Amino acid sequence: MPAESNLLSDMWPLAPIGATDWLLELCGDGLTGFMPPAMPDAAWVLNAMYEHEHGPGDVSHHEYRQARLADGSAPRDTVAGIDLDAVGVATGGGLGRAEHPGPGWRRLRWAELARRTGDPVVPDGLRPCFRCFPSVKRNGSWPLGIAPPTEGSLDRESWIRLIDILTAHSPAGPDTRCLIYYNPLTLGAEDFDNLHVRVGRLGDAKLLYDVPEADLADFSPTNLWAEDRSWVLCTDYDLWATKVAGPPALIEALLNDTVVEAVRLP
């Protein structure tokens, strides 16, 4: 996609070496993402999940996968000679970008699922991840009628809305100068020494969802932060949510928004 790659380079050129030094000092290693502390406040934007209009159903994603393998309607998933279907569980979850599945599906809020099941939104001592909602899953697999959150990336709806909220709470609005970082795992796990950082306008951040980094990153940026360091967000490669650290007014806006679903965690 040369045209898209040129667009990315024009609007989001590579940042100078050392652009993440302050994050390394503040957060430690950024292999899966530079996870900031409260600055002075923070909240987690939860990745979207969806439920089919007919409900969760009695069949799990794994059971459905095994049935398709048995009748020959799906090929086996083999990597480096290892039959993943024989050794793993089809959880129903994924890795990377996600969006609304289409007709017949609706957004399922974490809070709604917590009320329905009695599970906490996020168990004490954990971050939002695959360990959430244990009572919903059968042997580690979600019901076929629920599309659980993906790891490592915000969903499209949440990314677009989050950019709008950040814009409203940045003095320069869409002209706010900011930087993005893609962790090496999102770029094929090939270069762990040269951190990949770009610089651009907050008003041009929405396009990042549809213009992949080096045709490899099927993820929203791992970190996005204002150049003045007034706020920073982190979407860890292994988690189901994005931590946003910044001023209290920004965090309250996230917590009270009707599109993104955000929570405070200890």
Side-chain angles (χ1 to χ4, degrees):
M1 294 181 290
E4 291 185 346
S5 298
N6 290 339
L7 178 63
L8 181 67
S9 297
D10 291 343
M11 303 184 76
W12 289 88
L14 291 174
I17 295 175
T20 59
D21 286 353
W22 76 281
L23 285 171
L24 182 62
E25 182 177 347
L26 179 70
C27 312
D29 178 73
L31 176 60
T32 60
F34 291 105
M35 188 61 67
M39 296 173 55
D41 205 352
W44 290 81
V45 174
L46 305 171
N47 291 354
M49 69 176 96
Y50 302 91
E51 184 175 56
H52 196 269
E53 60 187 8
H54 296 309
D58 297 324
V59 177
S60 72
H61 282 272
H62 185 71
E63 290 166 338
Y64 178 70
R65 171 72 177 168
Q66 292 300 309
R68 294 190 66 207
L69 291 172
D71 66 18
S73 60
R76 304 194 73 84
D77 190 3
T78 303
V79 176
I82 299 175
D83 184 349
L84 299 182
D85 287 304
V87 299
V89 173
T91 65
L95 182 65
R97 293 180 293 184
E99 58 187 350
H100 193 286
W105 293 82
R106 68 174 185 90
R107 177 84 176 263
L108 175 61
R109 300 277 171 171
W110 291 48
E112 177 187 347
L113 188 58
R115 289 192 298 270
R116 182 191 303 175
T117 62
D119 288 337
V121 172
V122 179
D124 289 344
L126 293 182
R127 292 171 172 174
C129 66
F130 72 94
R131 292 186 175 88
C132 295
F133 299 110
S135 71
V136 178
K137 293 168 279 190
R138 182 183 303 162
N139 298 320
S141 182
W142 285 74
L144 189 60
I146 295 180
T150 59
E151 294 180 341
S153 176
L154 276 165
D155 58 280
R156 179 186 297 278
E157 182 181 12
S158 298
W159 172 258
I160 298 301
R161 181 57 182 157
L162 180 54
I163 297 304
D164 287 337
I165 295 172
L166 291 171
T167 301
H169 287 267
S170 299
D175 291 324
T176 299
R177 188 173 168 86
C178 52
L179 297 94
I180 56 170
Y181 162 65
Y182 290 92
N183 77 64
L185 301 178
T186 68
L187 297 174
E190 295 179 349
D191 188 350
F192 293 87
D193 297 319
N194 301 302
L195 300 188
H196 208 88
V197 184
R198 293 184 178 273
V199 60
R201 294 173 61 253
L202 184 56
D204 295 325
K206 290 181 181 179
L207 69 84
L208 295 170
Y209 210 86
D210 293 304
V211 182
E213 174 60 52
D215 295 337
L216 289 173
D218 193 24
F219 300 81
S220 59
T222 306
N223 289 97
L224 168 70
W225 67 96
E227 188 178 52
D228 66 5
R229 305 179 186 177
S230 56
W231 51 260
V232 58
L233 65 81
C234 175
T235 307
D236 189 281
Y237 188 81
D238 294 322
L239 298 181
W240 283 359
T242 292
K243 186 176 183 180
V244 181
L250 168 60
I251 303 308
E252 286 299 325
L254 292 172
L255 293 170
N256 294 321
D257 195 69
T258 58
V259 177
V260 301
E261 185 175 11
V263 296
R264 273 198 180 95
L265 294 177

